[in-house]
Amino acid sequence: MGFPQNDLEQRLAIIRPDDTVRGLVFNAVFNLTEKKLGADAATRLREPFFKRSPVDFFSYPAVDALRLLYATSEALTPVYGSMEDAVRACGAAAVTHFFQSTVGQTLNRLIGKGDPKRLLSHAPTAYSTLVNYGRREFAVLGDKQVRLAFHGDMQPVQYHEGVLQEALSVVGCKSRVVGTPRGVTGADYVITWE
């Protein structure tokens, strides 16, 4: 399907100057790039934004995070077969990196394995620790199905599909995540698991 030609520009246009993203999101993308394309490629992607790697829990401009996501996803498209899958991989990498952090390890211990509903009920809070924009709402749809509604979030749907899919993988669940965009700044994600 692909992204519309002006997708990045539309998303950049809605970012406020004070919107921020934690450094661990940047580091996750740099680590994924290094793993898939090598250290030189990761350095080339990092250099327009940072002289050295950012600090995981410091805040950085969301505009840089979005530009990096698109540049990295474009570079990773040959590896993943499509830009959409590369964006999903970047989202998944952010979760992997988060759960390797002290905060992520603590959250994982508190939630425990095999409890996706409990994990996803904490998603609005977890997102709020990583970004200072937007809001997320959690709703139970059934015994093994929930919905997360995102408002005021400029990341593409595929990014959050990757985040949510990987989060459920971390707690040991096989799941399906379907994102439905609502304009450029909103989406509903229906998550079902076995």
Side-chain angles (χ1 to χ4, degrees), residues 27-43 45 68 72-73 75-76 90:
N27 287 326
V29 171
F30 297 143
N31 291 343
L32 177 65
T33 303
E34 185 170 347
K35 181 179 173 185
K36 297 294 182 180
L37 300 176
D40 289 343
T43 299
L45 284 167
L68 175 65
T72 301
S73 298
L76 290 171
C90 289

Side-chain angles (χ1 to χ4, degrees), residues 42-193:
T43 299
R44 278 192 304 278
L45 284 167
R46 180 181 48 76
E47 284 177 342
F49 307 102
F50 302 99
K51 293 190 187 299
R52 54 184 163 273
S53 293
V55 177
D56 275 354
F57 282 95
F58 283 14
S59 294
Y60 300 93
V63 67
D64 290 347
L66 194 62
R67 287 185 191 281
L68 175 65
L69 172 65
Y70 277 71
T72 301
S73 298
E74 190 173 308
L76 290 171
T77 293
V79 174
Y80 288 99
S82 71
M83 179 115 169
E84 292 87 347
D85 285 340
V87 169
R88 283 185 192 94
C90 289
V95 170
T96 301
H97 195 82
F98 175 75
F99 278 109
Q100 290 171 349
S101 73
T102 305
V103 172
Q105 289 174 11
T106 302
L107 181 61
N108 198 15
R109 279 192 296 277
L110 290 172
I111 293 168
K113 294 280 186 196
D115 194 349
K117 197 177 290 182
R118 186 170 178 202
L119 170 71
L120 293 167
S121 73
H122 291 283
T125 303
Y127 270 100
S128 294
T129 65
L130 297 176
V131 300
N132 73 340
Y133 55 82
R135 64 184 169 77
R136 291 109 198 128
E137 298 169 352
F138 170 81
V140 176
L141 301 179
D143 187 44
K144 294 186 175 191
Q145 187 177 56
V146 300
R147 179 182 58 238
L148 286 168
F150 284 51
H151 310 277
D153 191 307
M154 75 290 295
Q155 297 289 351
V157 167
Q158 295 84 356
Y159 181 82
H160 295 300
E161 286 175 340
V163 165
L164 297 166
Q165 190 81 50
E166 185 64 17
L168 287 166
S169 178
V170 166
V171 295
C173 290
K174 186 176 178 184
S175 63
R176 183 167 183 252
V177 179
V178 177
T180 304
R182 288 184 288 97
V184 178
T185 63
D188 289 327
Y189 299 88
V190 175
I191 304 115
T192 309
W193 61 90

